[in-house]
């Protein structure tokens, strides 16, 4: 039986342009499941996930009203690969459950293309929820410049962010599709549109196949 929806995982290392590709997919008309947004939901004050983080990284990551100090948590969690892994081990199960719920809701829509926008798609195991994966890439010097501008941090801190993630080949060797995020946003928009157009056409052809 042909599925009525197609689930495309979208990932890539920090600063590569993945967020731009996700915006392009939304403008195209895809249904977006934003793992970063889900990650913010699961650490709202009083949630079990936030309590686990406070126990692991120090209760001072919480403000008096129980709100997470994201910058402080990021400095601690990204200070070494081991601590980054600990952060992911705590947050991934909570994020994945909510991601699965949102995907299931969109799956009921006729002919939907669902894009799971997830920077940690492979690390979390969420790639198994997808029919294919697209990875956005860019050279490290471009990524460093973008990270510094985006997050208001210095070069050393930006290098630390990059070193806390796997090498770019970790993403590309597993990808079904690779999108070049090194240029201007309009180029990435065009490439994303072309990919989604092709996937929609493929799904249309499959639905119209005559069974033997």
């Amino acid at each position: 039986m042909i599925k009525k929806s197609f689930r495309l995982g979208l990932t890539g290392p920090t600063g590569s342009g993945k967020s731009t590709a996700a915006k392009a997919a939304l403008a195209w008309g895809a249904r977006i499941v934003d793992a970063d947004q889900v990650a913010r939901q699961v650490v709202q004050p009083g949630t079990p996930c936030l309590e686990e983080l406070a126990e692991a990284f120090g209760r001072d990551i919480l403000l008096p009203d129980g709100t997470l100090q994201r910058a402080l948590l990021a400095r601690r969690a990204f200070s070494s690969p081991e601590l980054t892994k600990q952060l992911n081990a705590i947050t991934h199960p909570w994020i994945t459950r909510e991601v699965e719920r949102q995907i299931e809701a969109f799956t009921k829509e006729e002919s939907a293309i669902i894009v799971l926008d997830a920077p940690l798609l492979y690390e979390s195991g969420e790639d198994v929820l997808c029919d294919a994966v697209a990875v956005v890439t860019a050279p490290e010097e471009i990524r460093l410049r973008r990270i510094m501008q985006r997050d208001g941090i210095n070069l050393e801190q930006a290098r630390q962010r990059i070193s806390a993630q796997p090498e770019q080949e970790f993403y590309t060797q597993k990808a079904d599709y690779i999108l070049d995020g090194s240029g201007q946003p309009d180029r990435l928009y065009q490439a994303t549109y072309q990919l989604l157009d092709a996937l929609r056409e493929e799904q249309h052809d499959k639905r119209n196949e005559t069974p033997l």
Side-chain angles (χ1 to χ4, degrees):
M1 183 177 70
I2 301 300
K3 290 184 292 187
K4 293 183 178 180
S5 64
F6 186 91
R7 295 168 293 183
L8 177 68
L10 179 65
T11 192
T14 182
S16 64
K18 179 189 64 63
S19 296
T20 298
K23 290 177 183 177
L26 179 62
W28 180 88
R31 301 295 184 260
I32 307 297
V33 177
D34 185 339
D36 275 346
Q37 186 176 67
V38 171
R40 289 190 288 272
Q41 293 174 6
V42 302
V43 293
Q44 291 299 304
T47 57
C49 181
L50 185 56
E51 181 61 26
E52 289 184 38
L53 289 172
E55 289 298 321
F57 292 96
R59 303 208 67 84
D60 59 329
I61 67 171
L62 304 180
L63 293 170
D65 65 357
T67 302
L68 174 63
Q69 296 194 74
R70 297 181 183 279
L72 179 57
L73 175 61
R75 285 199 299 272
R76 291 179 181 173
F78 295 129
S79 63
S80 74
E82 291 75 19
L83 288 174
T84 302
K85 288 179 183 178
Q86 186 177 13
L87 171 71
N88 294 338
I90 292 171
T91 58
H92 283 169
W94 297 102
I95 295 169
T96 298
R97 279 193 286 270
E98 176 60 18
V99 163
E100 289 176 338
R101 188 195 68 78
Q102 293 188 20
I103 288 177
E104 180 61 26
F106 285 136
T107 299
K108 298 173 184 177
E109 296 187 20
E110 182 73 26
S111 307
I113 290 186
I114 304 163
V115 173
L116 172 53
D117 175 9
L120 300 175
L121 184 77
Y122 292 125
E123 296 92 327
S124 66
E126 290 169 358
D127 56 306
V128 302
L129 304 175
C130 304
D131 298 303
V133 173
V135 167
V136 185
T137 65
E140 183 171 312
E141 60 269 20
I142 292 176
R143 293 167 54 208
L144 284 168
R145 185 169 66 247
R146 287 174 177 170
I147 294 167
M148 288 188 290
Q149 183 176 9
R150 181 192 68 197
D151 299 336
I153 59 179
N154 61 36
L155 180 60
E156 181 181 354
Q157 290 170 319
R159 291 188 194 280
Q160 194 175 70
R161 295 278 177 94
I162 285 180
S163 67
Q165 290 188 323
E167 296 292 329
Q168 193 157 255
E169 289 72 19
F170 169 81
Y171 302 91
T172 57
Q173 68 186 0
K174 299 181 180 183
D176 298 287
Y177 307 99
I178 296 177
L179 297 170
D180 181 4
S182 62
Q184 294 299 313
D186 59 336
R187 289 176 54 191
L188 184 51
Y189 262 71
Q190 183 180 13
T192 304
Y193 282 12
Q194 289 174 345
L195 173 58
L196 293 173
D197 284 341
L199 292 175
R200 179 172 59 187
E201 185 64 27
E202 180 180 334
Q203 289 304 99
H204 179 269
D205 291 343
K206 286 182 178 181
R207 287 194 299 273
N208 287 284
E209 288 177 353
T210 302
L212 296 177

